[in-house]
Amino acid sequence: MAAFTIATGTGNWFSALALGVTLLKCLLIPTYHSTDFEVHRNWLAITHSLPISQWYYEATSEWTLDYPPFFAWFEYILSHVAKYFDQEMLNVHNLNYSSSRTLLFQRFSVIFMDVLFVYAVRECCKCIDGKKVGKELTEKPKFILSVLLLWNFGLLIVDHIHFQYNGFLFGLMLLSIARLFQRQGLPILSRLVLNSWGQAILPRRLTKVLGLQKRHMEGAFLFAVLLHFKHIYLYVAPAYGVYLLRSYCFTANKPDGSIRWKSFSFVRVISLGLVVFLVSALSLGPFLALNQLPQVFSRLFPFKRGLCHAYWAPNFWALYNALDKVLSVIGLKLKFLDPNNIPKASMTSGLVQQFQHTVLPSVTPLATLICTLIAILPSIFCLWFKPQGPRGFLRCLTLCALSSFMFGWHVHEKAILLAILPMSLLSVGKAGDASIFLILTTTGHYSLFPLLFTAPELPIKILLMLLFTIYSISSLKTLFRKEKPLFNWMETFYLLGLGPLEVCCEFVFPFTSWKVKYPFIPLLLTSVYCAVGITYAWFKLYVSVLIDSAIGKTKKQ
């Protein structure tokens, strides 16, 4: 019914979008699922069958529990529903168990938990500036953002084909972002009394009279909870920490935007610290009491897994590995290298393992940490010294996520979604950000293709990505049609190159003699080609942030 009333009101069209994507998720239930399906089934069994003291020690399956405690409790709660579907799925010794009822339960559990993501998207849409409002519903920024988030191609295939629970986790992140930008009270009054740093320009008493109370604490609480569900969100923690300190713990700014140091509030710092402490105590307290924190952390941060994940996330290290591979081949051809001295562990074997580079220096976890910190610091400095309000925070958050993706240790290719989703919020506000978003999302989504390697899913992933990409480009071009083109000739040529790359990897290479001798070539080509685009988007976003900060400083002077 909602589909027929899409144009009659905000609630109706949003409900129609949410209902439509939910029906699509249901259609994807019979599709291929990865080993992550067995991972989560095993976690259901562990948390249901064993006492808490054994959760992070159990190793019957190779897929041991390696998420923070809140996610373990989440699996525990799910297991008490799962037992009504199929009790056998909760047996720790039933490895690789997958009955039809187990499949239905786990698929529907992901779909059901996406309710939180849908709610978070709706809240984020309330924060969107309505200046660029077209006559047609489909030209409204809120409508475009809703489609970009609810129908996000990467989230669809990772959660509802490959199988994971990213939807409700990203829901928590988006909801925390929304809360940081919202104030309790009337939205129109909020705009009138806030400056560009998100702080009140009216006296505190009048702000209270209007009912405009800050929601920073809610945002901080939600993010703290999120960290104890999945620790990958530590990537964006620096942006949260600096923004909360800058906009909440300091209560006033000078006319030029710099901090009034006398406005520092110890009470607010203590309250933020208390929130983080209480959430952490609730999560880690039981394991601290059991003296198991070292064991928990050893599961959460397994540095022995090697520099790159099996699928080669398209980041700086993919380019580094490819260069090492090219140099090693040239070295062997020119007889500069001894074949007997080439390391046996190969970075292109598809296995998660440690290996030594052949020509270039091998990379250690400490080296990746240093590179990541160096890459993040400029965005943090801009957020502190040259704040741009909520947009500045989102840009810093995206750069933290992208920098960690670019230089982190053992990065999963799915982590690109941590940058794509918040970048979606920026894409509907400014043409420059829309351009960066389209390059990032198109390249990042294509890099997920190797996750779905079975024949039946080939037309599904191609069709879904084409539909999402065409909509993204056309809608954002329409939104910013009065401004300069979103792509230059070089960017257009690069994005169009994804088509021939797909044809080569999926339809040509399997019929060549190289398939047996060089099976890693499609993966290498995909990772390296996409790494170029993602690196370009990261660099372009950084330049944009630095230029905007410099312009903002000049205007204030």
Side-chain angles (χ1 to χ4, degrees), residues 198-258:
Q199 294 174 323
I201 60 176
L202 293 183
R204 186 177 302 176
R205 290 181 181 178
L206 182 55
T207 303
K208 289 184 177 181
V209 169
L210 294 173
L212 301 174
Q213 301 300 318
K214 295 182 179 180
R215 308 189 76 172
H216 290 89
M217 292 295 288
E218 292 178 53
F221 170 76
L222 289 168
F223 184 69
V225 170
L226 177 61
L227 286 179
H228 288 275
F229 267 102
K230 193 171 183 178
H231 51 304
I232 193 175
Y233 294 94
L234 282 169
Y235 286 171
V236 299
Y240 272 88
V242 172
Y243 182 75
L244 286 170
L245 182 62
R246 181 71 168 78
S247 64
Y248 181 66
C249 297
F250 287 92
T251 59
N253 289 308
K254 295 178 182 178
D256 63 353
S258 60

Side-chain angles (χ1 to χ4, degrees), residues 58-70:
E58 166 58 34
T60 301
S61 168
E62 62 178 308
W63 313 117
T64 53
L65 181 59
D66 58 5
Y67 273 24
F70 277 178

